[in-house]
Amino acid sequence: MNWGSRRAAILLRAALMTAVFLVWGSHAVASDTLVAIADRVPRVLILYPYDERIAATTTVGEALRSRLLEAKDGKIDLFSEFLDLSRFPEAEHVARMARYLAEKYAAHRPDVVVALGRESASFISANRSSIAPTAKIVAAGFGNSTADNLDLPDDVIGAFTTFDILKTAEMARDLQPNARHLYIIGGSSDFDREWLATARADLGAFSKLYDTTYLEGLTIDEFVERASDVPSDSIILALTIFKDGTGRNFIPREALRQIAATAGAPIYGPYQTYIGYGVVGGNTVTFDTLGRTVGNLVLDAIAGKPVADIEAPQTFIADARQLRRWGLADKDLPPGTIQMYRERSLWEEHWLAVTGAFGVVLMQAGVIALLLLERRRRYDAERRSRIHLLEAVHLNQSATAGALSSSIAHELNQPLSAIRNNAEAASELLRSGNPDLELIKQILLDIQEDDQRAGDIIGRMRGLLKRRREIDWQEFDLNDITSSAIHILHSEAERRGITLHTNQPTSELPVLADKVHVQQVVLNLATNAMDAMMDAGPTKRTLTFATGLANQKAELCVSDTGNGIPEERLSSIFEPFYTTKQAGTGLGLSIARAIVETYGGTISAYNRPEGGAIFRVILPLAAREE
Ligand code: ADP
């Protein structure tokens, strides 16, 4: 393997020291030593030069592993060894490690050994006969001496990298089309100077387009100062600064960090490791790309295909923060540029969570909308049925008033006649020579009382006909309603020869409802009872109202001595339009039930054993604060 002649190999040293993967010379080698892998999964041993904390090697290793596992669908044995040669460089450790690995892999000889880094490559080259005598060796990695010093066997193949300053310069030109000045920064070490020479050659034509200045042989302070003074329409290309003009050693990216902090124009560099240290970006080979490239070589080796040195594909990388800092547009980046430190939008960052949250919110909104709609529907339906009920009750009231009108007129006639008679009597007395003023006074009082009676009758009639637009909720004593109903009915009952009977209420029965509605229930039951008793013929007609407490509820029973209800009708007596009367509507009981249920109560009908029907109304007691 000819490891020393390429420019890439020169650049290797810088890359090694800056923790960048690099170049090894190319030399095609046919794969003829690979042992045929028959009937077992291939074994690949990955040698890491340092320990597991070195991000550069582990990143390459991980990219390599996932490429292999993906391509072989998991059917591959991967072994990793961290040689720790940086902390234990001494020959004893190397020998011990070689013995250990030789024994460890005695029964599991690897088919391919991937040596990441120069130290790994040297290690396996020196010890391959004891560790992996038949394995193909693929090298790609770190080191801190020049690649051309490596004395690697010819059949070791390499995945190498090239750091192309021209491509980096072209990237800068695309991002800054208006730039007029070009500055190239390089240090004073041998390597730095070699890099500068390479850049001069590579950028020959390119630099002619600009007012070009090479900043070299400067101290770190001079670099910082000169970079800060450049015009804003400048491109700064950073190579490496391993040493400054005074011979002071630097890790290039650390030197670059100082320069970039106050630079007057964007800085570009060809190393991934410069990203995050103040450069906008450049053309390089990323650890990921290198890992995948090595992976492809290994796959070919396993498959027994001829394998040759290969150059890992280059990628443009950029630091999104620096693009923003300098106002450079994403659209001017070369296609496929990997942007690092890119702030992803809320959507990009948390699309799953955002989608999930959005879905949940949408679902919630949907459920809420449905519930609101449902509530609205229910509310509308309730309102409609309430209006219907109110209208029906009013018609029912009118019908009752109509039915009772003649007896009410008759009842009204009594006080009116009494008033007339008393008025005439008073006139008579006044016409006499010596009027009895005491008597006249008494007569006038009687007239007042009769007027009051007539007023009460008219008031009850009005109350009976009171139309409701909305339910007038109020708390009242159920006993009072019974009494007022009796007042309304008594003359009709009298006219029909019916005795009204009421029990003596023992306690108040507070209920919460519309008084007029509950009174209508009582009137419906009572008029039905009176009708039933008329049908039964001239037996003893008694209409009884009984109120009381039943299971912590208010109870009202209206019973009669009529013929009762046919047994088969008992269960459906409250259905609308059932009537046995010539002029009946069959609505009285159904309206009564609707009213009672509106106020949370129940109504039921029975036949009394001794004859006649009994209707039982139960209403909840109004909750009273203690
Ligand atoms: P209507 O009074 O217009 O017929 P109702 O719904 O008030 O309508 O009554 C329906 C029917 O129920 C009556 O026609 C009658 O046959 C029967 N009914 C109601 N109350 C009694 C009762 N106390 N005794 C016997 N039958 C009754």
Side-chain angles (χ1 to χ4, degrees):
M1 188 175 203
N2 174 10
W3 293 88
S5 61
R6 299 173 61 90
R7 190 186 72 232
I10 299 168
L11 301 182
L12 170 66
R13 284 167 293 179
L16 293 172
M17 294 174 72
T18 51
V20 174
F21 277 90
L22 31 112
V23 180
W24 279 326
S26 69
H27 185 85
V29 179
S31 169
D32 51 6
T33 54
L34 187 62
V35 161
I37 304 160
D39 301 332
R40 66 167 172 79
V41 295
R43 301 181 191 124
V44 177
L45 170 62
I46 305 168
L47 295 179
Y48 295 82
Y50 311 122
D51 63 26
E52 75 291 344
R53 295 165 307 146
I54 305 298
T57 47
T58 49
T59 309
V60 177
E62 279 314 302
L64 162 66
R65 291 175 70 92
S66 40
R67 175 76 191 102
L68 295 178
L69 288 169
E70 166 203 277
K72 300 298 287 179
D73 203 14
K75 294 188 186 69
I76 187 162
D77 261 351
L78 297 176
F79 303 90
S80 297
E81 296 297 340
F82 292 86
L83 301 176
D84 214 355
L85 296 172
S86 164
R87 292 186 296 181
F88 299 92
E90 57 279 0
E92 293 80 28
H93 170 72
V94 174
R96 192 169 50 234
M97 189 58 115
R99 276 199 310 281
Y100 162 69
L101 294 182
E103 275 181 42
K104 180 174 175 182
Y105 291 96
H108 300 89
R109 295 292 177 210
D111 302 307
V112 179
V113 176
V114 175
L116 296 179
R118 185 195 64 81
E119 293 97 328
S120 302
S122 298
F123 173 85
I124 193 62
S125 300
N127 299 290
R128 66 190 299 186
S129 57
S130 63
I131 299 172
T134 55
K136 171 60 70 189
I137 295 171
V138 178
F142 286 101
N144 54 10
S145 61
T146 55
D148 50 352
N149 286 339
L150 296 172
D151 183 20
L152 298 176
D154 276 356
D155 65 334
V156 172
I157 53 167
F160 58 86
T161 56
T162 300
F163 299 94
D164 192 330
I165 194 62
L166 180 60
K167 284 189 181 153
T168 298
E170 285 166 349
M171 174 188 187
R173 183 192 59 201
D174 290 349
L175 282 167
Q176 294 178 252
N178 299 324
R180 295 275 161 275
H181 308 272
L182 175 66
Y183 293 86
I184 296 113
I185 294 179
S188 299
S189 74
D190 289 348
F191 179 83
D192 297 334
R193 282 202 299 276
E194 279 178 58
W195 223 145
L196 279 162
T198 307
R200 271 203 172 82
D202 289 355
L203 296 173
F206 184 88
S207 59
K208 290 205 174 74
L209 303 171
Y210 298 87
D211 167 18
T212 301
T213 311
Y214 279 82
L215 300 176
E216 51 189 321
L218 304 178
T219 65
I220 185 70
D221 295 338
E222 286 166 343
F223 276 125
V224 171
E225 198 185 320
R226 291 293 302 276
S228 69
D229 284 346
V230 302
S232 59
D233 58 345
S234 302
I235 290 169
I236 304 176
L237 299 178
L239 303 173
T240 54
I241 302 175
F242 284 103
K243 278 188 199 304
D244 74 357
T246 62
R248 191 175 146 200
N249 287 314
F250 286 93
I251 292 173
R253 63 182 183 185
E254 291 297 345
L256 199 57
R257 191 209 294 273
Q258 292 184 45
I259 298 166
T262 54
I267 305 181
Y268 303 81
Y271 298 112
Q272 182 180 0
T273 44
Y274 283 0
I275 294 288
Y277 285 74
V279 303
V280 172
N283 180 269
T284 190
V285 175
T286 64
F287 303 138
D288 237 33
T289 309
L290 183 58
R292 280 197 303 276
T293 305
V294 175
N296 290 336
L297 270 183
V298 171
L299 287 169
D300 283 351
I302 288 169
K305 293 182 190 164
V307 283
D309 291 346
I310 190 170
E311 187 162 325
Q314 292 153 335
T315 323
F316 287 98
I317 53 171
D319 184 333
R321 297 169 308 182
Q322 294 298 325
L323 288 171
R324 270 205 314 281
R325 172 184 169 194
W326 298 107
L328 305 173
D330 285 9
K331 69 171 177 47
D332 295 331
L333 287 169
T337 300
I338 298 168
Q339 274 201 56
M340 304 179 77
Y341 301 111
R342 188 164 160 213
E343 268 179 22
R344 293 191 296 166
S345 65
L346 178 71
W347 172 251
E348 285 175 315
E349 188 97 23
H350 303 292
W351 67 272
L352 191 63
V354 170
T355 313
F358 188 67
V360 168
V361 167
L362 213 67
M363 216 169 68
Q364 271 183 349
V367 170
I368 290 169
L370 264 175
L371 289 175
L372 285 175
L373 204 72
E374 191 48 41
R375 203 178 74 154
R376 175 86 221 171
R377 263 200 214 123
R378 220 174 44 230
Y379 175 78
D380 284 351
E382 278 171 6
R383 199 169 153 271
R384 271 199 304 277
S385 80
R386 211 165 49 239
I387 289 170
H388 290 155
L389 176 72
L390 292 171
E391 280 168 2
V393 172
H394 187 244
L395 286 175
N396 189 214
Q397 284 173 304
S398 311
T400 309
L404 297 176
S405 59
S406 68
S407 59
I408 289 172
H410 178 72
E411 191 186 358
L412 193 57
N413 217 18
Q414 288 171 356
L416 293 179
S417 310
I419 288 169
R420 195 178 56 243
N421 291 342
N422 276 328
E424 280 169 10
S427 307
E428 275 306 309
L429 282 172
L430 285 171
R431 272 197 296 273
S432 69
N434 187 17
D436 182 346
L437 291 179
E438 260 318 298
L439 190 55
I440 292 172
K441 206 171 148 192
Q442 185 56 51
I443 289 172
L444 288 175
L445 281 176
D446 285 352
I447 289 174
Q448 268 180 344
E449 261 174 37
D450 285 330
D451 176 68
Q452 179 67 47
R453 265 177 68 201
D456 287 350
I457 293 165
I458 291 167
R460 278 197 295 275
M461 194 69 178
R462 275 216 192 97
L464 181 61
L465 285 167
K466 212 180 258 174
R467 183 176 193 155
R468 294 282 193 238
R469 301 248 168 246
E470 268 304 329
I471 291 173
D472 180 15
W473 290 88
Q474 44 186 305
E475 192 183 309
F476 56 87
D477 186 353
L478 189 60
N479 296 310
D480 293 347
I481 291 300
T482 318
S483 313
S484 72
I486 291 170
H487 271 114
I488 293 169
L489 292 166
H490 78 98
S491 59
E492 177 68 14
E494 210 171 282
R495 191 175 70 78
R496 298 197 195 191
I498 295 169
T499 312
L500 293 183
H501 187 77
T502 175
N503 69 334
Q504 293 297 314
T506 46
S507 62
E508 239 183 80
L509 297 170
V511 293
L512 186 64
D514 190 320
K515 229 176 184 172
V516 169
H517 288 175
V518 178
Q519 177 178 275
Q520 190 58 38
V521 173
V522 181
L523 291 176
N524 282 357
L525 299 181
T527 47
N528 274 346
M530 290 196 287
D531 290 346
M533 287 188 287
M534 295 315 283
D535 292 345
T539 47
K540 190 171 170 358
R541 298 167 184 160
T542 309
L543 173 56
T544 308
F545 298 91
T547 51
L549 266 177
N551 291 332
Q552 300 300 310
K553 292 189 173 172
E555 181 190 45
L556 163 68
C557 291
V558 179
S559 49
D560 60 64
T561 53
N563 284 338
I565 302 156
E567 285 300 317
E568 72 279 5
R569 225 35 250 193
L570 268 177
S571 56
S572 57
I573 193 104
F574 295 98
E575 297 297 316
F577 308 117
Y578 167 68
T579 182
T580 53
K581 301 170 196 169
Q582 258 189 343
T585 58
L587 290 173
L589 287 180
S590 69
I591 290 174
R593 181 173 65 176
I595 291 174
V596 170
E597 288 179 352
T598 297
Y599 301 113
T602 55
I603 186 168
S604 44
Y606 312 90
N607 282 319
R608 299 165 70 221
E610 59 271 39
I614 176 164
F615 284 79
R616 186 169 180 245
V617 174
I618 302 282
L619 284 170
L621 285 175
R624 285 195 160 164
E625 282 173 26
E626 293 297 315

